[in-house]
Amino acid sequence: MMLIILFAVLAAALNVLGFDISCNSNMAVYWGQNSGASGSLPYQKPLGAYCDDDNVDIILLSFLYILKGKGGYPVLNFANICDYTKNASVPVFPGTELMHCSDMGVDIKRCQERGKIILLSIGGATAQLNSDADTFSQQVWDLFMEGSSDFRPFDDAVIDGIDLDFEQHSQMDIIKFANNMNQLFKTGTRKYYLTAAPQCPYPDANLGDLLAQSHVDMAFIQFYNSGWCDNSKFGLPHWPQSMNYYMWQDAWTNRSFANPDIRLFVGSTAGSGAGNPSSYVSPDFFANELQSLQKDYPDSFGGAMTWDMSWAYGSTPNYAASAKQAMMAGSKCKGSAY
């Protein structure tokens, strides 16, 4: 009887281990912008609705899109879930446009208990990248991590790191910001991650220097909306008309990144309307692509990323689940090597 109980406890513990950066089968999904609504799909659900799905390991909250808004504080937008411009009942901290999204704080902690990491994505296509690196890095630490502030958007919930999705030139010194964040991470009591979401042409125009000069743990490479290097070109002859993971792999092999152990993720759109329709590939196509790259590049390959949650869960089959299950067949982990 005791053996059965012990086995059950161990099984339960393993079930919530969740994210492991050393594995090459992690699934990352952007949540927050409800982009599926533009395709007449059901609205995205609150964050907590996705906590129990073991097919997702990393959830990226999108976006913090204005670095320095009213009162000198950043501005968030989470579409139908927390957006004071569309819902007057959403509270805003006095003298700012910084929203107080208490329900999200509860959901963040619940998802973390289920083994997921929650990252706050900064940027997006319409971002205003207009702050001072020193001021902004301290604000991010104080508002969302282990710092202290009277203005905590997610109350006492502590996110697991920051994602940089800079799709335009930044007025802020992004390298200084990243280095500041990495130093602040070292003062914390838990593990934090710094990630980036570059476009697929290598090196990325806006994030290339960051990847070369600052420690970044994971790169969620957008193999979409870029034409020649989209996922749809996978399997074609190399340069100049092919999906170019191999160029990122060459950079990884040649230690061109500040973090030689950075994990590279293959990003996709989860529906034909989630980006440029010509960039979209079917769940089966994406699954085959992931399995091939995972097999060929097991050390650099970290997993898959998709935009976004509303499209992934509004599709049949579930785009994220299909990708995750395809990767699990060849999953390998290195323990806590990183």
Side-chain angles (χ1 to χ4, degrees):
M1 182 65 177
M2 288 298 295
L3 184 60
I4 294 175
I5 294 174
L6 178 60
F7 179 81
V9 171
L10 288 173
L14 288 171
N15 192 41
V16 297
L17 284 178
F19 172 75
D20 180 346
I21 195 173
S22 78
C23 297
N24 62 2
S25 55
N26 285 305
M27 186 70 224
V29 185
Y30 281 85
W31 171 94
Q33 285 304 293
N34 192 34
S35 69
S38 64
S40 300
L41 294 178
Y43 278 23
Q44 69 181 358
K45 297 178 182 178
L47 180 63
Y50 308 101
C51 294
D52 293 331
D53 187 353
D54 293 333
N55 289 304
V56 179
D57 305 292
I58 306 165
I59 299 178
L60 299 116
L61 310 179
S62 53
F63 290 107
L64 186 161
Y65 76 107
I66 298 177
L67 277 55
K68 185 178 180 180
K70 184 178 178 181
Y73 282 84
V75 181
L76 304 166
N77 180 286
F78 300 113
N80 61 307
I81 301 301
C82 191
D83 179 5
Y84 82 98
T85 67
K86 303 286 179 60
N87 184 351
S89 67
V90 175
V92 176
F93 291 106
T96 78
E97 294 177 298
L98 181 64
M99 298 182 298
H100 190 184
C101 306
S102 294
D103 290 345
M104 285 183 60
V106 174
D107 288 346
I108 287 170
K109 290 189 287 186
R110 181 184 170 203
C111 282
Q112 289 170 330
E113 290 170 356
R114 294 297 304 162
K116 300 182 186 341
I117 63 168
I118 307 297
L119 308 178
L120 176 62
S121 188
I122 300 173
T126 62
Q128 297 179 30
L129 310 176
N130 58 343
S131 188
D132 168 73
D134 289 331
T135 300
F136 185 59
S137 55
Q138 190 62 53
Q139 273 188 330
V140 169
W141 180 253
D142 292 341
L143 295 174
F144 304 104
M145 298 184 188
E146 291 184 63
S148 177
S149 174
D150 291 333
F151 298 169
R152 297 272 301 185
F154 308 137
D155 295 323
D156 62 347
V158 176
I159 60 172
D160 297 293
I162 295 297
D163 173 61
L164 299 175
D165 181 14
F166 284 23
E167 301 185 17
Q168 56 189 285
H169 175 72
S170 173
Q171 298 170 349
M172 180 182 71
D173 186 338
I174 188 174
I175 295 172
K176 187 173 186 180
F177 170 77
N179 292 340
N180 286 352
M181 292 309 306
N182 280 322
Q183 289 302 312
L184 287 166
F185 291 170
K186 293 176 182 178
T187 69
T189 62
R190 60 198 293 174
K191 172 65 178 175
Y192 292 98
Y193 300 93
L194 182 67
T195 69
Q199 303 291 315
C200 56
Y202 179 84
D204 178 76
N206 300 307
L207 295 169
D209 289 343
L210 169 75
L211 294 167
Q213 298 180 45
S214 299
H215 183 101
V216 176
D217 295 292
M218 294 172 274
F220 303 119
I221 308 166
Q222 299 181 46
F223 287 100
Y224 51 87
N225 296 343
S226 294
W228 64 268
C229 59
D230 288 348
N231 287 311
S232 59
K233 305 300 191 298
F234 178 75
L236 297 179
H238 282 185
W239 184 269
Q241 294 294 329
S242 70
M243 183 271 188
N244 71 332
Y245 184 94
Y246 75 97
M247 293 183 66
W248 290 86
Q249 171 65 29
D250 285 349
W252 189 92
T253 300
N254 294 326
R255 304 177 74 84
S256 299
F257 301 116
N259 174 17
D261 294 318
I262 188 172
R263 305 295 277 184
L264 306 179
F265 285 63
V266 178
S268 69
T269 53
S272 59
N276 188 323
S278 66
S279 300
Y280 173 74
V281 294
S282 69
D284 286 344
F285 185 103
F286 193 48
N288 291 333
E289 177 185 347
L290 295 173
Q291 289 178 329
S292 178
L293 295 172
Q294 182 190 50
K295 179 181 178 181
D296 291 344
Y297 309 112
D299 295 325
S300 67
F301 185 89
M305 171 274 284
T306 195
W307 175 272
D308 68 347
M309 196 78 79
S310 59
W311 276 100
Y313 281 75
S315 303
T316 303
N318 181 308
Y319 203 89
S322 173
K324 176 67 173 181
Q325 293 307 309
M327 293 187 292
M328 287 304 295
S331 180
K332 295 180 181 179
C333 304
K334 297 181 181 178
S336 56
Y338 305 133

